[in-house]
Amino acid sequence: MKKNKSLLWLFALILVLSAFLAACGGDDNGSSSDDSEKKEETETETEGTAEGEPQTGGTLVYGIDAPPEGLFSSAFYGIATDAEVIALFDEPLIDYNENLEPVPNIASWETEDNKVFTFTFEEGVKWHNGEELTVNDWVFALETIADPDYDGPRYSNVQTIEGAEAFRNGEADTISGIEVVSDYEIKITFDEARVNNLTNLWAYPLPEAAMGDIPVAEMSASEFVITNPIGIGPFKVDKIVQGESVEFSKFEDYWNGDVNLDKIVLRVIDNSSVVGALQNNDVDMISLQPVSGPEVEPLENVEITTYPGLSYYYVGFKLGKFDSESQTITEENPKYQDKQLRQAMMYALNRQEWVDAFFFGYANVVNAPVPSSHWNAADNSELNTYEYDPEKAKTLLDEAGYVDQNGDGFREDPNGDEFVVKFSHYATGNPTFEARAQAITQYWEEVGLKTELEMVEVNLYYDMVEKDDPSIETFFGGWGTGADPDPSGLWKADQLWNYPRYNNPEADQLLDDALDIEIVGTDQDKRTDLYIEWQKIVNEEVPMLYIAELEEIVALNNRVGGVEYDVSGQNNPAEWFVTE
């Protein structure tokens, strides 16, 4: 079986999976699984419902329930709906198995010290424009992402290569840690030995012959990202109708064996129309929002499959402002700096009730930002589980000086000034999003915290969150994690995707130590101990309120076969088929 798992979403903003846009993770490259009353434990791997030998030919209709942003390049996309599109026409150099261990795809590797890696490429791999893939396309991708004019979110996946920082700062014309040996062999040296250098490394090349003359600052708006993307996967893009559909056809020169389907048509299906589209055979496969699960389950022509997710949902606090050029948190926002305030807001949330109401048995409460599917997840016995306790929330608020001084039923801040929690949530066509957001505001108002809700169009929303727009104070979000569970890219103070702008040197040091060969060697238990200590800190300090992790939910028409899922995502679309 071709094991080209679609891990794009694992790097992404997972505003996707189940209750998000469509993951991450993704997310939004992301997905989740949570800790409440799950459905029956699912198989680690599930597959499509059509029986018998794979058939060739035919068209599969692939649905997504929110429009893509339209950045169809692994180096530039930011939301999981874009990642779903990319996964149908592109694939990485390195793959991951069901244990989230890296395995060769197009590139194999050797290393003796976890600092210097030698990669060997498959020969004869073709881009969709007919050019042959070589290591130079990977160098082009790595240098693009490290370029000072790069406007995408992937720099953390190249910054540990030796010389990447000097290249980014304009102090060098090349990245010193990249050595091209031949068209099919390349040596990459990292700035230091780390346990996860390989799994953190950006593994998607870019077509240099097509994009090499485009200034980096203009790439994300170029035709090869927006209207004519080029990949190396089993299907090539034929036509894009922005916000509506993408048409793909079989790539006859695909490097990794036969491709069963002739075509895939990806369509945006409004949330309100998903159940009807499945019932009427208008769509063959689509990731479901949990709210749709109970309506789809009775359909005789459709089967629901679930698998463990790698994402979590949260409410974040904007604790500071981030400067992208210096990669530092430059300002501190005072409003939510009091830990007792944040803890009180956590105790005020009846998370189990909320999860049951809006995720229909497909989610569980989570108490730290590491999905339970990962090997380094802390057990709840080692964490404060913040059981719903409005009286404790009130006590903490009283102790912190948030009391009702004017008798209007709402608490003022310790200075006696009006205190209003401004809560933001993204808006799509899903009507449950505003309802679930309002439920959160109601929990806070019940303990005396006046709350205002703002629903923001989803693509604008994450741009505002990322750029620390002052109108965003507390915000609902979701993240998908990668194959390696190291949370540094989402949590360290020098990372763009640390959206709460959490700044704790002790916590950052634990994350660094967990990757330090001299401290942990290759001992996973030692890494786990350090990650658990880190989770205890962020569980105590609650720079975000941890809400839930979800299972991934996919609906497959009975005519679809060859589709498989496990914790690493979906299998190679080349293996999918339809029976009629």
Side-chain angles (χ1 to χ4, degrees), residues 15-17 19-22 28 65-66 79-81 289 426 428 433 458:
L15 322 165
V16 204
L17 319 163
F20 266 102
L21 294 186
D28 95 60
D65 68 354
I79 67 173
T81 43
Q289 306 285 352
Y426 49 83
T428 69
F433 285 5
V458 64

Side-chain angles (χ1 to χ4, degrees), residues 4-17 21-31 62-64 66-92 154 202 204 225 246 248 266 287 459 480 497 570 573 576:
N4 177 30
K5 298 291 183 183
S6 172
L7 281 178
L8 267 167
W9 61 275
L10 290 177
F11 295 99
L13 262 177
I14 280 214
L15 322 165
V16 204
L17 319 163
L21 294 186
C24 140
D27 302 192
D28 95 60
N29 131 350
S31 145
Y62 185 108
I64 56 176
E69 184 179 8
L71 297 176
F72 301 130
S73 167
S74 56
F76 293 97
Y77 82 96
I79 67 173
T81 43
D82 284 3
E84 287 196 69
V85 176
I86 296 166
L88 297 175
F89 73 84
D90 203 10
E91 58 188 66
R154 306 289 185 270
W202 189 245
Y204 290 83
V225 173
V246 183
F248 307 85
L266 180 144
S287 293
N459 291 328
W497 278 359
Q570 69 192 24
W576 303 352

Side-chain angles (χ1 to χ4, degrees), residues 156 196 200 312 368-371 374-377 479-495 497-498 502 507-508 510-512 514-515 527 530-532 534-535 538 544:
S156 64
N196 74 334
N200 182 65
Y312 55 88
V370 176
H374 271 312
W375 49 261
N376 65 339
W479 276 122
T481 65
D484 183 88
D486 171 54
S488 299
L490 303 181
W491 278 90
K492 287 186 65 180
D494 62 352
Q495 295 299 315
W497 278 359
N498 170 7
Y502 179 58
D508 284 0
L510 285 167
L511 294 180
D512 288 341
L515 301 178
R527 287 186 75 194
L530 291 168
Y531 285 129
I532 288 175
W534 175 81
Q535 287 169 78
V538 296
M544 63 171 60

Side-chain angles (χ1 to χ4, degrees), residues 1 37 44 64 74 109 124 135 138 147 156 202 207 269 279 290 323 371 382 399 406 438 448 450 530:
M1 183 179 81
E37 304 164 9
T44 306
I64 56 176
S74 56
W109 61 89
V135 300
W138 195 19
D147 192 281
S156 64
W202 189 245
I269 311 289
Q279 186 173 20
D323 181 81
E382 301 186 80
E399 292 174 354
N406 60 13
Q438 288 175 338
K450 187 176 182 179
L530 291 168

